[in-house]
Amino acid sequence: MSLSIPPFGSDPGRVGAYVAFELSIAYSRIFLPLRSRSLRSQWHELAERSDHLLNESTVLSDIVDLRSTCWNHPYGRRDSAVDQDLVRAIGSAHDLSMGVITLLWRGYAESIDTEDELHLPVPFVGPWRTAEFAMRTQSLGEVLTNPKSSCHYPTYLWSEDLSLILCCPFYSDSLYIGSKRISSSELRDFGLEATAVTQDAQLPTTGD
């Protein structure tokens, strides 16, 4: 498998640092579910209550009052319902058996098996030092269907042919996907809360 790295941007505050925008493919933001006490809420439901239209730059404080409500931020953690929808959506357009490179941020302090770890031949991935990530090759299906491999979504994932990029910034409330074969509207058809996203969009911060 090729160890070449997609052309990620260098500004850590912009979407382009996580999704390479020079590949002529469609880019989407997928909102991860929010929780308050025992409730699991979708972003669009909360946005409707606050008369807000979801867009690429929406932050949590746009749709809920953080001073009066205890909302649990996703912080990049995997969600079983989202995983199931991802398998159906991405599997409809991409071969789940294809190999992908995954990078998981070491700052999550997960137990990482280093036996099959890769070493990329460059010092940086986007704005980040390569050494900050645990890297390996897996099949796309293995990443999407095996939550035991990590309780967080990969920080970076890309296929060898660069037809698919999936990224989850550190402690993020969203996934970012670049695909040559599936758009944000098609992701919504599979039950995912998705919107189109552009390179210069500001990344929502954890504090929001």
Side-chain angles (χ1 to χ4, degrees):
M1 172 174 288
S2 171
L3 294 185
S4 61
I5 298 177
F8 298 115
S10 59
D11 184 347
R14 303 287 177 179
V15 170
Y18 293 91
V19 184
F21 277 81
E22 300 176 15
L23 304 175
S24 299
I25 58 183
Y27 301 95
S28 307
R29 175 185 177 185
I30 295 176
F31 298 90
L32 297 175
L34 302 166
R35 289 177 173 80
S36 176
R37 298 179 181 175
S38 61
L39 300 177
R40 181 182 187 275
S41 295
Q42 301 291 342
W43 287 67
H44 74 272
E45 297 170 350
L46 298 170
E48 288 174 1
R49 297 177 199 169
S50 60
D51 198 28
H52 176 83
L53 182 64
L54 284 184
N55 59 68
E56 63 179 16
S57 299
T58 296
V59 295
L60 185 54
S61 58
D62 290 334
I63 59 176
V64 297
D65 185 350
L66 298 179
R67 297 168 299 177
S68 60
T69 308
C70 182
W71 289 96
N72 290 331
H73 191 288
Y75 291 119
R77 289 187 295 266
R78 297 185 68 143
D79 180 273
S80 58
V82 170
D83 284 349
Q84 293 172 14
D85 291 339
L86 277 175
V87 169
R88 294 189 303 117
I90 296 179
S92 73
H94 294 271
D95 182 358
L96 294 178
S97 68
M98 73 176 178
V100 294
I101 294 174
T102 62
L103 280 67
L104 182 67
W105 183 46
R106 297 184 189 276
Y108 287 135
E110 293 191 17
S111 177
I112 297 172
D113 183 2
T114 60
E115 183 176 347
D116 58 349
E117 193 170 330
L118 296 173
H119 298 281
L120 292 181
V122 293
F124 289 91
V125 177
W128 314 111
R129 290 190 177 277
T130 305
E132 294 186 36
F133 303 97
M135 297 160 282
R136 56 179 45 83
T137 58
Q138 299 172 270
S139 72
L140 176 60
E142 182 182 3
V143 176
L144 297 179
T145 61
N146 183 15
K148 293 182 179 179
S149 63
S150 171
C151 61
H152 292 88
Y153 288 104
T155 315
Y156 289 95
L157 174 155
W158 66 84
S159 60
E160 182 177 9
D161 63 359
L162 300 184
S163 64
L164 176 70
I165 296 173
L166 184 152
C167 299
C168 185
F170 311 141
Y171 298 122
S172 181
D173 58 27
S174 302
L175 300 176
Y176 293 86
I177 292 183
S179 171
K180 290 185 176 180
R181 299 169 191 160
I182 191 165
S183 66
S184 57
S185 62
E186 291 169 316
L187 291 170
R188 290 194 295 272
D189 289 340
F190 285 92
L192 293 161
E193 287 197 288
T195 188
V197 70
T198 57
Q199 179 176 14
D200 292 329
Q202 188 78 31
L203 276 175
T205 61
T206 300
D208 293 314

